[in-house]
Amino acid sequence: MKYYSLNHNAPKVSFQEAVIQGLASDKGLYFPETITPLNTSFFETIENLSNEEIAFEAINQFVGDEIPEHVLKEIIAETLCFDFPVVEVEKGIYSLELFHGPTMAFKDVGARFMSRCLAYFNKDKADSKNTVLVATSGDTGGAVASGFLGVAGVEVVILYPSGKVSDIQEKQLTTLGQNIKALEVDGVFDDCQDMVKKAFLDETLAHKNLTSANSINIARWLPQMFYFFFAYKALKKQNKPLVFSCPSGNFGNICAGIIAKKLGLPIEHFVASTNVNDTVPRFLESGKYDPKPSKATISNAMDVGNPSNFIRIQELYNNDLKAFEKDFSSYSYTDEETLEALKQIYNTNGYIAEPHGAVGYLGLKKELQKHDNAIGIFLETAHPIKFLDVVEPALGITLPIPTQIESVINEEKVSVKIKSYEELKAFLG
Ligand SMILES: *Cc1c(COP(=O)(O)O)cnc(C)c1O
């Protein structure tokens, strides 16, 4: 499989090159040259397949022969070492729980898959290291730290906005040690992301072999399509149209869902639910893409002013706004509305959501008014414990600490504070 740059001013590359480079030389995101729908027999018999078998079918064409089949199957097995339950929250509304992995956020899947692909590509290059440079608004950092911990030949540098991630998130990305380094940036997420983008284009850093583990990297982004297949498998026997609502920040998750639909997965409609960082909802209203600086909210993993994957979604629809709007809606919610939803979900249904899932729930409820016969699924992208400072006071409860979290919570934070791109450069050396 070849990948082209969405800026159309860089050579086409293989899967391996796209994973190692992260971003194309013209700053464009990589995009697969072809997307071939899977056989209808795959969907007809999906309930007989394991998650690993489903994932292999879904991702195989994007990797091609660059990773041998038995290695790819091993990578998938290590990636999917936990459950993806679909839980009924109220009649016709399901939570797709993506938080049962090691860092309790959905990003574990992409991070685990990408780290193992990179390890495979590095296996014969004992002396040339890759540096994974990643900006996080919260969850990416922990998932990448955990996913890449101890992976040979890869050093990981994580930039996060000081004071703008939760305590648990901070512990997850600052306490592991080994090949994982955390940089605490005096600024917001967009400042971190801008520094990372600048570093990729900085020729004086070429010797560091920088790559990204944000969802701009295809190996982080593409495996996120697996969840949509798993949900379909769980709900197929109801034989109803499916509406998915994704709490969206950089729009990688929802964009992977659209790829799943292109592969033939019967999804009736997508909802991108956002907090007040509403660049995409405003785009759908006005037809004008007008990114704004990000604002801090209680759903901080979605505090993104200029969603990096939106350009991939536009490519998937050939910039045809009509076709796009048929499949896709986007709604934005304030922190007050999010807190109300958290309480309502708990008081009415006894289900403990967290702020991102609650935003997803709100968007889903709104969209379902237009789809009589459909069932709705919102992605619960993190475990409530990761946002306990919001969830506990809102619901008046105390959450038990899961074992995955207990193991980092008492470790000592190790980070380096930086203010500017120059300081990042000096750190990378
Ligand atoms: C990253 C993240 C999101 C947003 O996902 P995108 O793919 O960037 O849209 C939503 N919720 C949580 C908990 C996250 O960590």
Side-chain angles (χ1 to χ4, degrees):
M1 170 72 73
K2 289 274 183 219
Y3 290 81
Y4 59 93
S5 163
L6 288 177
N7 283 353
H8 303 285
N9 205 6
K12 287 179 186 164
V13 297
S14 63
F15 176 74
Q16 170 167 352
E17 289 167 308
V19 173
I20 291 176
Q21 289 175 26
L23 204 62
S25 54
D26 62 358
K27 310 185 200 180
L29 271 63
Y30 282 119
F31 197 84
E33 205 168 33
T34 56
I35 301 172
T36 309
L38 302 170
N39 283 331
T40 48
S41 63
F42 167 73
F43 297 102
E44 283 160 8
T45 56
I46 197 167
E47 57 274 25
N48 303 329
L49 302 178
S50 67
N51 282 356
E52 291 173 25
E53 288 166 331
I54 292 170
F56 178 78
E57 290 301 321
I59 200 109
N60 193 19
Q61 65 176 285
F62 298 102
V63 178
D65 55 10
E66 295 176 49
I67 298 180
E69 186 172 317
H70 73 278
V71 177
L72 182 57
K73 286 183 173 166
E74 260 168 49
I75 291 175
I76 288 170
E78 288 180 19
T79 300
L80 301 177
C81 59
F82 47 92
D83 289 337
F84 300 83
V86 178
V87 176
E88 190 168 30
V89 171
E90 61 191 62
K91 196 167 180 317
I93 295 203
Y94 295 81
S95 167
L96 172 55
E97 294 188 347
L98 303 176
F99 55 72
H100 295 275
T103 74
M104 313 207 90
F106 80 85
K107 295 188 173 77
D108 281 329
V109 168
R112 294 174 74 77
F113 185 83
M114 181 187 160
S115 65
R116 284 155 180 82
C117 289
L118 210 51
Y120 175 77
F121 294 139
N122 271 340
K123 68 184 181 334
D124 302 323
K125 302 186 222 155
D127 46 343
S128 88
K129 274 203 169 184
N130 283 106
T131 302
V132 168
L133 188 62
V134 68
T136 184
S137 59
D139 279 344
T140 303
V144 168
S146 158
F148 282 82
L149 182 67
V151 170
V154 183
E155 182 170 54
V156 176
V157 179
I158 300 168
L159 281 73
Y160 71 99
S162 183
K164 297 198 172 56
V165 304
S166 78
D167 291 346
I168 289 176
Q169 288 175 334
E170 186 169 43
K171 289 280 178 161
Q172 286 182 321
L173 58 93
T174 57
T175 59
L176 294 182
Q178 295 185 45
N179 57 332
I180 314 294
K181 307 276 177 332
L183 298 182
E184 190 174 347
V185 175
D186 183 12
V188 294
F189 169 69
D190 292 342
D191 299 318
C192 302
Q193 184 143 290
D194 287 347
M195 283 193 207
V196 166
K197 284 188 178 160
K198 208 164 164 183
F200 287 135
L201 301 168
D202 189 335
E203 280 170 13
T204 65
L205 291 173
H207 62 287
K208 300 298 292 182
N209 297 322
L210 293 180
T211 190
S212 122
N214 284 103
S215 50
I216 59 171
N217 194 302
I218 54 164
R220 237 298 303 278
W221 165 55
L222 285 171
Q224 301 181 149
M225 71 174 136
F226 299 160
Y227 334 127
F228 297 86
F229 288 91
F230 301 162
Y232 173 70
K233 173 182 160 185
L235 297 169
K236 180 185 165 192
K237 58 180 175 305
Q238 298 195 31
N239 206 15
K240 294 206 169 148
L242 302 182
V243 174
F244 279 93
S245 172
C246 304
S248 298
N250 264 318
F251 284 63
N253 225 356
I254 195 163
C255 185
I258 299 170
I259 297 264
K261 184 173 160 95
K262 288 260 166 193
L263 290 175
L265 191 69
I267 296 176
E268 165 140 310
H269 202 81
F270 291 97
V271 186
S273 301
T274 73
N275 57 30
V276 293
N277 293 288
D278 60 352
T279 300
V280 173
R282 280 188 291 111
F283 169 76
L284 282 170
E285 266 186 12
S286 69
K288 239 180 77 199
Y289 189 77
D290 176 26
K292 298 235 163 93
S294 68
K295 300 187 195 94
T297 74
I298 56 171
S299 47
N300 66 33
M302 310 197 292
D303 294 350
V304 182
N306 188 6
S308 46
N309 285 290
F310 193 62
I311 185 165
R312 282 182 168 141
I313 297 181
Q314 289 177 301
E315 183 78 1
L316 280 162
Y317 286 95
N318 275 325
N319 293 307
D320 175 349
L321 198 58
K322 277 248 149 51
F324 177 48
E325 284 178 330
K326 190 171 154 286
D327 285 1
F328 189 100
S329 310
S330 190
Y331 309 118
S332 136
Y333 297 95
T334 63
D335 280 355
E336 290 71 32
E337 291 169 312
T338 307
L339 284 171
E340 267 318 301
L342 263 184
K343 288 182 204 164
Q344 190 234 310
I345 297 167
Y346 182 65
N347 293 334
T348 324
N349 311 302
Y351 187 79
I352 304 173
E354 54 68 61
H356 305 79
V359 169
Y361 172 87
L362 283 169
L364 182 62
K365 287 286 261 196
K366 177 157 177 164
E367 183 63 31
L368 281 178
Q369 293 169 1
K370 301 189 207 151
H371 302 261
D372 275 350
N373 192 32
I375 50 181
I377 303 105
F378 66 96
L379 276 49
E380 200 16 305
T381 43
H383 190 287
I385 197 74
K386 295 197 74 178
F387 299 92
L388 90 175
D389 45 344
V390 177
V391 174
E392 288 189 343
L395 304 186
I397 57 173
T398 307
L399 296 166
I401 309 264
T403 45
Q404 289 104 310
I405 302 296
E406 211 164 346
S407 61
V408 294
I409 211 158
N410 295 319
E411 298 288 320
E412 196 185 337
K413 160 183 161 185
V414 179
S415 69
V416 174
K417 294 200 174 178
I418 63 164
K419 283 205 181 77
S420 64
Y421 179 69
E422 291 313 311
E423 286 177 286
L424 170 63
K425 251 180 101 159
F427 179 85
L428 291 171

